[in-house]
Amino acid sequence: MELLPLVALLLGVQVAIHDLYARRVSNRGLLLATGVALVALAWQWWMAGHGFPGTHLLGFVLGLLSLLPFYAIGWMGAGDVKYFAVLGLLLGAAPLLPIWIIASLLAGAHATCVIVARRIAPALSHSGPRPETDNAASRRLQPVIAQWRQARQGRVGIPYAAYLAFASIWWVLQQPSGVAA
């Protein structure tokens, strides 16, 4: 596997875990991946005699500009936008559309589940006493849930960067020998 798809794979795992757990995307991870990508692309261009990395730079710009309007209107976090731009830098422009489509379908399914759960939750709460809330397993989960909520610091919403990560991991793994186009 080439270096940039491998970095995209590792970054995707880190982003998915962080975004699912704390609804955050680590700037350090994004900066590290960007630095590795820029050094690798510069080396390939100058030292290895590969062509100018135009598709990767275009991927960065397209990734940034395509999601920036959603951040501007408050539908998306800045981490989601930055991560998509870094994915464009790592993988080039071509995979951004399939990654975006898959991530959007996953996020749409998530949103649908949230809406359905919010609609059926009131009906379930009126169905009578719930003895399971007093059992030992429930009491053991309460500190875990409290830690999870503290990690999120009030951030709510769909973990879109995690869905971008799942889609990018899928895209990298389905490529012949992991080579990005």
Side-chain angles (χ1 to χ4, degrees):
M1 179 177 287
E2 289 187 17
L3 178 62
L4 295 182
L6 178 62
V7 171
L9 188 72
L10 295 173
L11 180 64
V13 170
Q14 186 267 337
V15 165
I17 291 168
H18 252 184
D19 199 30
L20 289 172
Y21 178 70
R23 294 296 193 269
R24 291 190 62 82
V25 177
S26 168
N27 284 333
R28 286 185 186 143
L30 295 176
L31 284 172
L32 180 62
T34 300
V36 169
L38 291 174
V39 168
L41 291 169
W43 184 84
Q44 288 176 0
W45 181 33
W46 286 318
M47 303 301 277
H50 293 287
F52 181 75
T55 185
H56 292 272
L57 298 176
L58 178 63
F60 178 82
V61 171
L62 285 175
L64 181 67
L65 294 179
S66 63
L67 295 187
L68 202 54
F70 298 107
Y71 170 74
I73 60 175
W75 289 0
M76 186 170 290
D80 304 330
V81 178
K82 292 182 285 188
Y83 177 53
F84 199 51
V86 172
L87 279 176
L89 183 65
L90 291 168
L91 300 175
L96 290 182
L97 182 60
I99 288 171
W100 175 76
I101 290 170
I102 293 166
S104 296
L105 290 171
L106 292 171
H110 182 139
T112 301
C113 290
V114 168
I115 290 168
V116 168
R118 285 182 181 161
R119 290 194 180 206
I120 64 170
L124 292 177
S125 67
H126 297 301
S127 62
R130 296 175 52 194
E132 71 275 3
T133 59
D134 292 330
N135 65 27
S138 176
R139 285 191 300 277
R140 282 190 297 255
L141 281 176
Q142 288 176 354
V144 173
I145 293 170
Q147 181 182 10
W148 180 45
R149 287 184 177 152
Q150 183 181 7
R152 290 190 176 179
Q153 299 174 346
R155 290 180 295 273
V156 294
I158 305 297
Y160 194 72
Y163 295 131
L164 287 170
F166 294 148
S168 68
I169 290 167
W170 168 83
W171 191 90
V172 168
L173 293 177
Q174 65 90 30
Q175 295 302 302
S177 72
V179 177

